[in-house]
Amino acid sequence: MGVSIFIQQVLNGLTLGAVYTLIALAFSLVMGILGILNLAISEIFMIGAFVGFSLITAGVPVWIALIGAMIAAALVSIVIARIGYEPLRNANHITPMLSTLGFSMILQNLATNTWGSDPMQLTLEGWLETRFSFGLVSLSVVQIVVFVVTVGLCVLTALLIQRTDIGRALRAVAENREISRILGVRPRRMILVAFALSGLLAGAAGVLVGLHYSVITPYIGVEIGLKAIAVMIVGGATNIWGALLAGPLIGILEVLTVAYGGAAMRDFVVYGFMIVILLVRPQGLLGGSSKTSGGRV
Amino acid sequence: MLSSYQAGLVADGSILLLGALSVYVILSTGQLSLGNAGFMAIGAYLSSWLTVSVGMPLTLAIVISAAVSAVFGLIIGFPALRLKGLYLAMATIGFGEIVRTFFLNFEPTGGAGGFSGMEHVPLWYILGWTVFTLGCVMVTERTRWWLEIRAVNDDELAAGLVGMNTTVTKLMAFMTGAAIAAVAGALFAHQTLYIEPASFGFERSTEFVLAMILGGSSLAAGSIVGAALLILLPELLRDFVDWRIAIFGALLVAVLLVRRQGVLDRNLFGLARLWRRVN
């Protein structure tokens, strides 16, 4: 009995952690490459959830809704890059972060006015409803979808960053904007690519959260998005695989805290863990030397 | 004479001004704190507990809360010496959330149900604290210590090389900011007469930052303009009440794009002085 409940909790934690991983990856794409914290990502994620929700409710197949939400989120992200980041890129790193804070206020207000601030309920039909039971432990199809999409997107992102010309150009801009320009990379375009990629990931995370919880509110951005920042820090902002490790870690930690310590303790534990990591190992679990992470911020 | 509604607006504005000031002192050393609502919560809860449960006079309770909050500022300031820029901002977000969830779980002060029983303070008392604190910061702006703060902001390495103790300067700034935020929290608690953890979330911290950036982040007087803007704009834009937050967000982006230093800055005062001399 005790063991199966524990396994069930770990599975639920992994599902939550998968969502954290995607949002943390969205944060770290912009943070690692441009050295700015795009606070609007948490609200882009929320917008993605609502777009996906609306499409599914309108009868669109889940896969298409997922892609639609990702594209919508990427477009929002590109707008933020053009208005909120590009003109401010020569200012100190705090200024572009504040402008993304402005955008997150706009996006949240937009969502409360468009979809209302009451929770939105989704009823899943057909194959998505299925649950597999192994004794007392059960795994839903939705959870499997969350795992598959998360791992798939992480692998795609890693391949894109490490194996393609776009990835090389992104990393060149991250290393030195001016020299990469001299060598023929277009930094402005690469910045848009980084923002668009991060929007795609955040939008996907939004749809997955909607499927998993089947209830969303305009405030999930602050609730879940802020915790993804903690995941990014714990994993290491400059390493893609850091988010894939820290996401499930924090997801499991959080779910176990809820199960054994009380629901109100969860944020306490997660942010406490983040601060301990910041003090002991500021570059994160999988970050490089502290020198490289210190130089960029 | 002010109606009670107008008096409430002035009180809210004063508390917001103090919050903006608490961000300003810390930002002057180049460190952004996105967790000042945490210090505000410490001030609000501690002072309320002291006045309600201990029966202490309010002024003494505020002084004690500010001192305790300053100690927390010191504790938070130490990691700040290792963390720079965005990492520090993220650590302060974590601090704010930790304080909020602490009070959410802390039953002696009501937990999620909140805490009440405070006595209402008159408006002049809130204004008195606000003018006093603002005055202190503006006087400090003219001292040698403030030059050190600005030196740390402009180039920390160079400031250290010419023999300034940048560690002490940064820690002092954090403690001062924490103390001011606690005063704001204490006044808030004795103005609204009911406090709950949800009052001190991330939105509150960002509101302070917003007021400070809009008003002018290079001088203390900017917080007056910022707080006034944030309180008066919703009054002027009643027809768009649903879009209040979005308007603030757009305003923040616009100010950052057009006039990064905020409405007020040092040059503006310089120009005014020049204008007077010419005429």
Side-chain angles (χ1 to χ4, degrees), chain A residues 31 35-37 83 87-88 91 93 97-99 102 105-106 109 113 229 233 237 264 267-268 271-272 274 278-279 297, chain B residues 32 79 82 85-87 90-91 97-98 100-101 105 206 209-210 213 242-243 245-246 249-250 252-253 256-257 260:
Chain A
M31 180 90 179
I36 74 150
L37 180 63
I83 305 176
L88 297 171
H93 45 254
M97 181 178 86
L98 288 170
S99 86
M105 295 166 82
I106 297 173
N109 205 179
N113 284 346
I229 294 181
I233 289 176
D267 295 2
F268 196 77
Y271 289 110
M274 175 187 95
L278 274 175
L279 292 181
V297 285
Chain B
L32 178 67
R82 285 193 66 186
L86 299 178
Y87 281 88
M90 292 185 269
E97 289 298 296
I98 282 180
R100 188 179 61 79
T101 35
N105 287 286
T206 55
V209 175
L210 185 64
I213 298 287
D242 288 345
W243 294 99
I245 307 286
L252 174 61
V253 176
L256 289 174
L257 288 176
R260 204 175 293 167

Side-chain angles (χ1 to χ4, degrees), chain B residues 62-141:
Chain B
I62 291 181
V63 171
I64 291 176
S65 315
V68 170
S69 179
V71 173
F72 276 95
L74 187 66
I75 296 170
I76 296 303
F78 265 112
L81 301 175
R82 285 193 66 186
L83 303 171
K84 290 205 167 51
L86 299 178
Y87 281 88
L88 175 64
M90 292 185 269
T92 56
I93 293 179
F95 165 74
E97 289 298 296
I98 282 180
V99 173
R100 188 179 61 79
T101 35
F102 172 79
F103 284 114
L104 205 56
N105 287 286
F106 194 60
E107 285 308 323
T109 52
F115 190 77
S116 58
M118 292 77 85
E119 272 176 42
H120 199 272
V121 285
L123 183 60
W124 63 263
Y125 187 82
I126 296 178
L127 283 177
W129 268 103
T130 309
V131 170
F132 170 72
T133 315
L134 184 65
C136 284
V137 176
M138 288 176 85
V139 168
T140 314
E141 274 185 321

Side-chain angles (χ1 to χ4, degrees), chain B residues 181-215:
Chain B
V183 173
L187 295 174
F188 173 80
H190 291 81
Q191 152 76 15
T192 55
L193 306 184
Y194 169 73
I195 48 174
E196 56 176 339
S199 309
F200 308 105
F202 182 61
E203 284 85 358
R204 178 78 66 182
S205 297
T206 55
E207 194 187 11
F208 292 166
V209 175
L210 185 64
M212 201 252 331
I213 298 287
L214 289 184

Side-chain angles (χ1 to χ4, degrees), chain A residues 74-279:
Chain A
L75 288 178
V76 175
S77 193
I78 288 175
V79 170
I80 293 174
R82 283 316 272 271
I83 305 176
Y85 174 73
E86 262 298 318
L88 297 171
R89 69 185 160 80
N90 289 326
N92 69 14
H93 45 254
I94 288 174
T95 311
M97 181 178 86
L98 288 170
S99 86
T100 62
L101 183 66
F103 277 102
S104 66
M105 295 166 82
I106 297 173
L107 289 177
Q108 199 191 49
N109 205 179
L110 192 70
T112 46
N113 284 346
T114 312
W115 290 288
S117 50
D118 295 330
M120 244 172 94
Q121 186 86 34
L122 182 75
T123 39
L124 293 174
E125 286 159 5
W127 57 278
L128 276 169
E129 249 188 334
T130 324
R131 291 188 79 90
F132 301 110
S133 295
F134 310 96
L136 289 163
V137 181
S138 78
L139 185 67
S140 68
V141 170
V142 166
Q143 279 177 309
I144 297 171
V145 168
V146 171
F147 294 140
V148 170
V149 172
T150 302
V151 173
L153 284 176
C154 284
V155 170
L156 279 179
T157 311
L159 285 177
L160 185 77
I161 299 279
Q162 285 167 348
R163 293 288 156 84
T164 64
D165 283 348
I166 293 177
R168 270 185 282 275
L170 279 173
R171 281 182 288 143
V173 174
E175 201 67 45
N176 190 322
R177 186 185 168 107
E178 292 314 317
I179 292 185
S180 69
R181 201 222 299 275
I182 291 169
L183 294 176
V185 177
R186 294 185 179 179
R188 277 173 63 99
R189 182 173 293 180
M190 283 306 123
I191 284 166
L192 287 186
V193 169
F195 269 88
L197 280 177
S198 105
L200 287 173
L201 292 171
V207 179
L208 296 182
V209 152
L211 288 177
H212 179 48
Y213 286 124
S214 60
V215 172
I216 50 170
T217 71
Y219 309 108
I220 54 168
V222 179
E223 280 167 33
I224 298 180
L226 280 187
K227 257 182 254 171
I229 294 181
V231 170
M232 173 184 73
I233 289 176
V234 169
T238 50
N239 190 324
I240 292 179
W241 304 110
L244 201 54
L245 171 76
L249 192 68
I250 287 197
I252 292 172
L253 185 72
E254 186 177 334
V255 170
L256 289 182
T257 310
V258 173
Y260 298 105
M265 288 296 292
R266 56 201 280 184
D267 295 2
F268 196 77
V269 172
V270 171
Y271 289 110
F273 189 45
M274 175 187 95
I275 287 185
V276 169
I277 289 286
L278 274 175
L279 292 181

Side-chain angles (χ1 to χ4, degrees), chain B residues 9 25 60 67 72 77 94 114 116 124 128 141 146 206 224 226 239 246 258 268:
Chain B
L9 282 185
V25 174
L60 185 60
F72 276 95
S116 58
W124 63 263
E141 274 185 321
W146 200 264
T206 55
I224 307 174
D239 297 339
V258 180
L268 208 63

